């Protein structure tokens, strides 16, 4: 994971950058707004997250944030700033930042917020997998051992729900609520039919099914 830190106070920049590197991130630091924006716009350095100070020489954090969003870049951005009125927070988030941390902050809090944003950003990709089954929700693609498997809309929606709840039991009633619309007559027998369709397409013959039947309750996809 690669992080860009734009912070003009060298001591703070070093403190954050060293801490993040200890946590296994690679960190690029800019002490000037213009340099920071250039780095953010450089396509050879695709950042997973950007930390922006607000008051900076060259360009302000808000100007950098707007410029990045104007390019439709979805990279998560956190403001680090001493500005702390409600208006400042609203203005900062309104410029396109995902989160906001008031100085001085505990490093552990910064780390926790970074992890949340990175996790959410990865959720946006909606890539799920179990065993040799891979599902890419955004490109609407399912593969088994690299081979594309064609699913109907209902099969796809059911598989997405099961995989997104991996490790947990999907109750029959919640499957009906999530996958079939509210006008459906709630006969949950239809779920078994669709589970069988999915098993026929995705199971490896002779091996345990990718989805376990929890008798009388529902289904569960287990970690492999
Ligand atoms: Ca500053």
């Amino acid at each position: 994971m690669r992080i860009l830190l734009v912070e003009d106070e060298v001591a703070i920049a070093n403190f954050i950058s060293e801490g993040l590197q200890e946590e296994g991130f690679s960190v690029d630091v800019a002490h000037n707004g213009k340099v920071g924006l250039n780095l953010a716009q450089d396509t050879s350095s695709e950042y997973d997250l950007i930390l922006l100070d607000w008051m900076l020489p060259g360009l302000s954090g808000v100007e950098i944030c707007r410029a990045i969003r104007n390019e439709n870049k979805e990279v998560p951005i956190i403001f680090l700033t001493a500005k702390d009125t409600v208006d400042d927070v609203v203005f900062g988030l309104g410029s396109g930042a995902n989160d906001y941390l008031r100085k001085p902050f505990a490093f552990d809090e910064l780390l926790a917020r970074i992890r949340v944003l990175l996790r959410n950003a990865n959720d946006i990709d909606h890539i799920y997998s179990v065993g040799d089954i891979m599902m890419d929700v955004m490109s609407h693609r399912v593969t088994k051992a690299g081979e594309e498997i064609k699913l109907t809309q209902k099969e796809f929606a059911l598989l997405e729900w099961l995989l997104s709840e991996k490790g947990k039991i999907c109750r029959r009633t919640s499957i009906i609520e999530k996958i079939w619309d509210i006008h459906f007559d709630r006969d949950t027998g239809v779920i078994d039919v669709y589970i069988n369709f999915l098993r026929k397409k995705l199971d490896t013959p002779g091996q345990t099914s990718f989805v376990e039947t929890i008798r009388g309750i529902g289904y569960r996809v287990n970690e492999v």
Side-chain angles (χ1 to χ4, degrees), residues 7-9 12 52-55 79-86 88-89 100-105:
E7 165 67 73
D8 60 327
E9 290 174 68
I12 295 179
L52 278 183
D53 184 20
W54 188 311
M55 307 289 276
F79 270 126
L80 310 173
T81 173
K83 287 181 177 280
D84 65 357
T85 69
V86 172
D88 290 329
V89 175
Y100 191 101
L101 208 50
R102 292 180 177 92
K103 290 178 184 171
F105 51 81

Side-chain angles (χ1 to χ4, degrees), residues 162-163 165-169 220-223:
L162 291 168
L163 291 184
E165 296 290 296
K166 188 162 77 172
K168 297 183 229 161
I169 295 174
R220 179 174 61 208
V221 172
N222 296 303
E223 304 277 351

Side-chain angles (χ1 to χ4, degrees), residues 24 35 119 182 215:
V35 175
R119 195 166 61 227
I182 52 167
R215 196 168 290 280

